[in-house]
Amino acid sequence: MSRIEGVLQTLKGQGRKALIPFITAGDPHPDVTVSLMHTMVNAGVDIIELGVPFSDPMADGPVIQLACERALKHGTSLRRVLAMVKEFRATDNATPVVLMGYLNPIEAMGYEVFADAAADAGLDGVLTVDLPPEEADDVAPLFAARGLDPIFLIAPTTTDERIRAIADHSSGYVYYVSFNGVTGAARINVEEVAKKVTHIHELTALPVGVGFGIRDAETAAAVGRVSDGVIVGSVLVDTIARNQTDIEKLKRELTDLLNPMREALDSLAS
Amino acid sequence: MSVKLTEEMLTALPDARGHFGAFGGRFVSETLMDSLVTLEREYLRLKKDPEFQATFDKDLADYVGRPSPLYFAERLTRETGGAQIWLKREDLNHTGAHKINNTIGQALLASFLGKKRIIAETGAGQHGVATATVCARLGLECHVFMGAEDVQRQSLNVYRMKLLGAQVHAVTSGSRTLKDAMNDAMRDWVTYVDETFYIIGTVAGPHPYPLLVRDFQSVIGRETRRQALEKAGKLPDALVACVGGGSNAIGMFYPFLTDESVQLYGVEAGGLGIETGQHAAPLCAGRPGVLHGNRTYLMEDDNGQIASTHSISAGLDYPGVGPEHSWLKDIGRANYVSVTDDEALEAFRMLTLVEGIMPALETAHAVAYAVKLAATMEKDQMVVINISGRGDKDIHTVAQLDGIEL
Ligand SMILES: Cc1ncc(COP(=O)(O)O)c(C=O)c1O
């Protein structure tokens, strides 16, 4: 069983929901990413999605675009991100880490070189925004052989036929994008999300994480009611943007954001 | 390696997943997949629909003004002292470039799909103008995304688009040029996917765009083939076209791919020189990667970050290229070369002075290479340059280089 499956199964057994933060690796600086990861674990998160900065983040809104620019300015390459994962793993053997990003940096590194380095670093999952399952034939066996969970997106526009195909190609969890749009937009409609997530649960046994538009304890709880986990991104990245120089203050603010979400999610536990 | 292409090989490409050999495909976020699958299905149906094709042909004739002439550039030929140089006059199309062939076709597709909101990216502004034009004609809402730097360089076209009723969105992210305009167009598309049709301006993007844009632009090559046989009694020996995303080039090349005797030359933007790294020539100096929905040759650094590009011509200032060109390069069917900013400027002035035809700076790249090529060929040979657009939009840029305030 993969680390991701293990964590999600344990939570399920406790009737709890996964809190999954997203931050861009290397933002505000590559030297602080690992300690921010530990801070978030202390604030009660279950899985960490670590963004790999890309020069052309087509699916992201301005907040994460700027985070990519900051990270790239400090030379945050995919290799360096994997080194961060390895460093994190040295002191935290329990929290799964998923890389989320775009295909080209992986392609430039080479699929097999990447898969080897990812496994060596103790990475758990890979979510590549612009790699649909149709194009994943080359990477899938490489990931499977090393126990890396491929995580794919499902969108409001995804047909039932595609949901089944996506689930077939995924392990760990599937990521439901709560609305049509880029990260950081305020377009979430909780009722519609609930309907679609319930439907996805009918089509696959995989846990469903929901991301995009979750900004506070209230939206986290509303979405957590129907999903197996919530992914929180832009609001954290925005907090990083506002506290680039005072890292201690940044850690306090991240903690202050995540704590109420944790509590709100746990208050759903039956 | 050079492969003899046959009709069967060509009709098999792109394959069902939109691949041209190792290139192409559909690398987009999940939100767009259903829309692309629908577009592919509807396009493949309409491609065979006589009513759709008849409407397209009629619009090309009566609205665009096709066929565009194939003109023998006698004086340029004499000055060059080599092969006969002929010009395929896409600059005479309505709106002044080849871009309208494609926007007519895609706007027609949008109408058949019942989409009323159109978005487009633009570099030089020619595709933006051509999109705004068809939207005005069909009463469609039009949003054009344009890099903030290009908004500066091509202010005339920006105003033209506004006069045509389009909203122009200046894109300030990244390098503020064409690739960033395409990023923002894709962000808009993902947000308003249900009501929006994205009219991509070149043979790049996710499947089926490289296919359908190539089909719409192939009218250039089909006409050239017929006109060459009529006027010169033979097929050309060489075709030369500039390559930004590659739509005017593929439109010219495609109907000649199985004619082995016809040499194909795609001319990329060499900028300040390939050796300086300040250029926009992915086929000459890049390597395969994935950007904007397809796998193709790209300009990128060792870490897979897209490199910034430089060209004097906004329409060529793009780090990628259509996947079919990547395939043609790898199988050796087409040759990809580059000319510098300075060479292009010189060709811009030469064609203007010698033939009274002012080409777009994009097109001037093709002219510069063709003149060099023709000089090495026999007098009874024939070179056709695709004059993809006229140069009015670039007068400001050239005047500035001459130190003149207009
Ligand atoms: C006149 C002209 N030629 C060529 C191009 C380059 O595009 P493509 O390579 O798709 O033909 C442009 C793009 O703006 C253009 O305006």
Side-chain angles (χ1 to χ4, degrees):
Chain A
M1 189 191 300
S2 76
R3 196 154 20 210
I4 295 174
E5 285 166 348
V7 163
L8 290 172
Q9 243 178 48
T10 304
L11 285 169
K12 192 170 182 148
Q14 300 165 337
R16 294 169 70 229
K17 309 293 178 166
L19 176 58
I20 308 175
F22 168 98
I23 61 171
T24 299
D27 172 36
H29 194 279
D31 293 345
V32 295
T33 299
V34 173
S35 74
L36 294 184
M37 292 166 76
H38 289 306
T39 298
M40 295 193 296
V41 173
N42 289 333
V45 308
D46 302 296
I47 297 173
I48 293 174
E49 284 190 2
L50 202 51
V52 180
F54 183 48
S55 54
D56 295 79
M58 278 156 292
D60 287 298
V63 169
I64 292 175
Q65 287 173 39
L66 291 172
C68 286
E69 285 181 22
R70 287 192 294 272
L72 289 174
K73 207 167 61 199
H74 295 115
T76 312
S77 64
L78 177 54
R79 284 172 202 277
R80 186 123 184 227
V81 176
L82 288 170
M84 294 173 196
V85 175
K86 191 166 187 167
E87 190 188 332
F88 173 79
R89 198 45 87 227
T91 48
D92 184 329
N93 204 26
T95 312
V97 178
V98 173
L99 288 195
M100 180 168 183
Y102 296 81
L103 183 59
N104 203 50
I106 296 178
E107 183 131 336
M109 189 169 173
Y111 290 158
E112 189 151 11
V113 176
F114 168 75
D116 282 341
D120 174 63
L123 185 75
D124 301 288
V126 182
L127 196 175
T128 314
V129 176
D130 54 351
L131 181 73
E134 287 89 333
E135 298 285 358
D137 291 349
D138 293 342
V139 292
L142 296 172
F143 287 3
R146 290 161 185 80
L148 293 165
D149 285 321
I151 293 158
F152 289 98
L153 300 174
I154 293 174
T157 52
T158 307
T159 58
D160 285 4
E161 190 190 340
R162 286 191 62 80
I163 292 175
R164 288 196 195 92
I166 288 166
D168 277 347
H169 284 82
S170 304
S171 58
Y173 59 98
V174 290
Y175 184 134
Y176 179 63
V177 175
S178 68
F179 53 78
N180 295 340
V182 293
T183 54
R187 291 169 66 88
I188 193 166
N189 175 329
V190 174
E191 261 168 54
E192 279 177 25
V193 171
K195 247 193 274 169
K196 187 82 174 191
V197 172
T198 307
H199 186 58
I200 295 169
H201 276 135
E202 290 164 9
L203 299 175
T204 173
L206 281 175
V208 181
V210 176
F212 282 42
I214 294 163
R215 311 194 54 81
D216 49 29
E218 196 187 334
T219 41
V223 170
R225 211 160 269 133
V226 290
S227 71
D228 302 288
V230 299
I231 299 129
V232 185
S234 289
V235 68
L236 300 176
V237 176
D238 195 38
T239 303
I240 294 175
R242 284 186 287 99
N243 296 282
Q244 292 176 45
T245 44
D246 189 343
I247 301 303
E248 287 315 307
K249 179 157 168 281
L250 168 58
K251 288 179 179 172
R252 281 196 302 277
E253 292 208 12
L254 289 177
T255 304
D256 290 347
L257 266 168
L258 291 167
N259 275 335
M261 292 187 195
R262 175 79 274 165
E263 282 165 27
L265 286 176
D266 286 349
S267 72
L268 300 170
S270 38
Chain B
M1 172 186 54
S2 187
V3 173
K4 162 109 183 83
L5 293 174
T6 62
E7 288 300 333
E8 296 79 68
M9 290 166 81
L10 290 184
T11 45
L13 289 178
D15 68 14
R17 288 179 179 185
H19 294 171
F20 300 88
F23 303 102
R26 196 178 267 153
F27 296 87
V28 294
S29 61
E30 175 58 28
T31 311
L32 297 174
M33 287 299 287
D34 184 55
S35 193
L36 287 166
V37 170
T38 305
L39 177 61
E40 178 193 3
R41 186 184 62 232
E42 289 304 300
Y43 175 65
L44 292 177
R45 183 176 68 77
L46 290 168
K47 192 175 169 171
K48 291 190 227 116
D49 177 22
E51 189 196 331
F52 180 85
Q53 289 304 330
T55 312
F56 180 56
D57 290 344
K58 184 167 186 302
D59 285 352
L60 288 184
D62 297 347
Y63 191 70
V64 177
R66 305 204 69 93
S68 68
L70 180 64
Y71 163 75
F72 177 40
E74 216 173 327
R75 191 163 167 226
L76 181 63
T77 299
R78 221 166 36 242
E79 301 252 323
T80 305
Q84 288 183 18
I85 300 174
W86 294 68
L87 310 179
K88 178 60 174 167
R89 299 290 310 275
E90 293 298 302
D91 58 313
L92 294 178
N93 292 342
H94 181 42
T95 68
H98 69 291
K99 297 283 180 187
I100 191 130
N101 302 326
N102 168 46
T103 59
I104 292 268
Q106 288 199 50
L108 204 58
L109 267 177
S111 310
F112 271 76
L113 292 170
K115 305 258 181 171
K116 298 248 178 288
R117 182 178 183 274
I118 301 293
I119 60 169
E121 85 296 339
T122 197
Q126 287 305 110
H127 174 61
V129 166
T131 304
T133 298
V134 297
C135 288
R137 177 172 177 245
L138 299 174
L140 302 170
E141 179 184 335
C142 181
H143 297 266
V144 179
F145 295 85
M146 187 169 187
E149 184 175 330
D150 294 336
V151 168
Q152 292 276 318
R153 292 198 267 195
Q154 306 282 344
S155 56
L156 183 71
N157 271 343
V158 173
Y159 190 55
R160 259 170 106 190
M161 288 184 265
K162 288 182 180 164
L163 287 174
L164 288 160
Q167 281 189 49
V168 181
H169 303 266
V171 175
T172 53
S173 58
S175 64
R176 316 165 119 224
T177 59
L178 183 51
K179 87 170 166 72
D180 311 285
M182 197 146 180
N183 289 340
D184 262 22
M186 295 190 91
R187 290 177 186 126
D188 178 286
W189 190 20
V190 124
T191 307
Y192 304 106
V193 59
D194 289 334
E195 62 267 40
T196 300
F197 190 100
Y198 181 11
I199 299 190
I200 295 184
T202 190
V203 281
H207 180 59
Y209 281 97
L211 164 70
L212 62 90
V213 177
R214 178 253 275 164
D215 287 351
F216 293 142
Q217 290 292 2
S218 290
V219 65
I220 302 172
R222 280 198 307 276
E223 284 177 9
T224 302
R225 204 167 194 290
R226 196 182 65 229
Q227 290 165 322
L229 290 171
E230 269 167 28
K231 295 183 186 222
K234 60 170 192 174
L235 292 182
D237 298 286
L239 304 175
V240 184
C242 66
V243 177
S247 68
N248 87 89
I250 207 81
M252 177 63 112
F253 295 172
Y254 189 72
F256 292 94
L257 287 181
T258 57
D259 299 306
E260 258 185 306
S261 66
V262 182
Q263 298 292 311
L264 310 174
Y265 295 90
V267 187
E268 295 193 305
L272 304 180
I274 298 288
E275 67 289 351
T276 67
Q278 300 285 305
H279 59 82
L283 289 167
C284 293
R287 61 174 178 155
V290 171
L291 179 69
H292 292 152
N294 64 104
R295 180 176 287 119
T296 192
Y297 277 86
L298 291 179
M299 289 177 54
E300 60 176 17
D301 69 13
D302 290 345
N303 296 314
Q305 305 297 342
I306 306 307
S308 60
T309 52
H310 165 81
S311 170
I312 191 169
S313 110
L316 304 184
D317 209 349
Y318 181 67
V321 63
E324 196 164 8
H325 286 292
S326 294
W327 175 69
L328 289 171
K329 172 191 159 78
D330 275 14
I331 64 166
R333 176 62 186 97
N335 310 289
Y336 295 93
V337 296
S338 70
V339 308
T340 63
D341 286 353
D342 287 346
E343 291 174 296
L345 268 168
E346 198 182 314
F348 171 91
R349 292 180 202 279
M350 179 173 60
L351 194 67
T352 304
L353 284 172
V354 174
E355 291 289 346
I357 294 172
M358 188 181 293
L361 283 175
E362 291 79 17
T363 313
H365 287 73
V367 176
Y369 187 78
V371 167
K372 285 197 279 193
L373 176 71
T376 67
M377 293 167 63
E378 301 299 329
K379 285 195 164 45
D380 62 349
Q381 289 189 297
M382 177 182 187
V383 176
V384 178
I385 311 174
N386 193 6
I387 303 298
S388 57
R390 69 181 186 220
D392 308 47
K393 69 181 175 62
D394 296 310
I395 292 176
H396 247 103
T397 305
V398 176
Q400 244 172 20
L401 290 168
D402 283 341
I404 294 168
E405 267 306 316
L406 290 182

